[in-house]
Amino acid sequence: MTTVAISALPVATVINAADIVPIVQAGTTKSISKTLLFTSPTMVTPALGTVASGVISACTSTSMVMVTPVIGAATGTSLAVTGAVTSSGTAGVGYATGAGGAVTQITSRTTGVTLNKTTGSITLVSAAGSPTLASFTVTNSTVAATDVIIINQKSGTDLYEIAITAVAAGSFRVSFFSLVGTTTEQPVFNFAVIKAVAA
């Protein structure tokens, strides 16, 4: 019988259930069918050891120690948690570039404005400060009736008392008056929408 190296045998492109594969078992060459080879092994849970540089080695450990992952920059559409979302860094928790916008009021200080952003600035029309209460509506599609709106004065010579006096689906109302001064100017108010629920 002519001896032929395994590497010199014809290449099989498929393996059938009845095909025979040679194995060496306890020093004796035997044959095994494809069916038996791929259905009889007993799988056991591996014991993982140290993972270094992407290579698993020294697989003798029986218990894994989990460590807190270090998460860098991440991009997603939403984040749902059951615990607190906190920040210990100086950057804090807030809105990223693109979430905000700006709008300028026209005609009068009771003229409504539209800004469909969760945060932004509102520049009032040029007028003299007045101790008389005035209000205007901000139309904003991001606002739900249960949301909380924070607003404060960013700039202006006169000092203004500002309050959110109504919140509805798609809008909120800003009421304000000058505490000190009657300067003719265009003060700027900053606002931020905090998403909230009532249940």
Side-chain angles (χ1 to χ4, degrees):
M1 178 177 181
T2 303
T3 300
V4 180
I6 291 179
S7 60
L9 293 173
V11 176
T13 56
V14 295
I15 183 169
N16 301 309
D19 289 347
I20 301 300
V21 179
I23 64 170
V24 177
Q25 188 178 66
T28 302
T29 301
K30 299 181 180 181
S31 64
I32 185 173
S33 69
K34 175 259 187 182
T35 299
L36 182 62
L37 178 64
F38 290 102
T39 57
S40 64
T42 300
M43 305 300 293
V44 296
T45 301
L48 301 179
T50 303
V51 179
S53 301
V55 178
I56 299 177
S57 62
C59 298
T60 57
S61 175
T62 57
S63 62
M64 297 295 292
V65 177
M66 303 301 291
V67 298
T68 302
V70 178
I71 301 176
T75 301
T77 56
S78 64
L79 172 66
V81 298
T82 56
V85 177
T86 62
S87 172
S88 60
T90 58
V93 177
Y95 296 102
T97 300
V103 66
T104 299
Q105 189 181 48
I106 59 174
T107 308
S108 75
R109 290 198 170 176
T110 58
T111 301
V113 298
T114 299
L115 182 58
N116 297 315
K117 295 285 187 177
T118 49
T119 183
S121 64
I122 303 168
T123 301
L124 271 59
V125 71
S126 181
S130 172
T132 301
L133 184 70
S135 299
F136 64 89
T137 297
V138 179
T139 300
N140 188 325
S141 61
T142 72
V143 175
T146 53
D147 289 348
V148 175
I149 314 299
I150 296 176
I151 192 165
N152 56 38
Q153 182 176 350
K154 173 189 176 184
S155 62
T157 301
D158 294 348
L159 301 181
Y160 287 85
E161 181 75 25
I162 317 165
I164 300 299
T165 51
V167 179
S171 69
F172 58 90
R173 184 174 64 215
V174 180
S175 297
F176 63 98
F177 62 90
S178 175
L179 288 170
V180 179
T182 56
T183 306
T184 298
E185 59 179 346
Q186 288 187 277
V188 178
F189 297 166
N190 283 346
F191 75 90
V193 178
I194 299 178
K195 307 306 292 182
V197 294

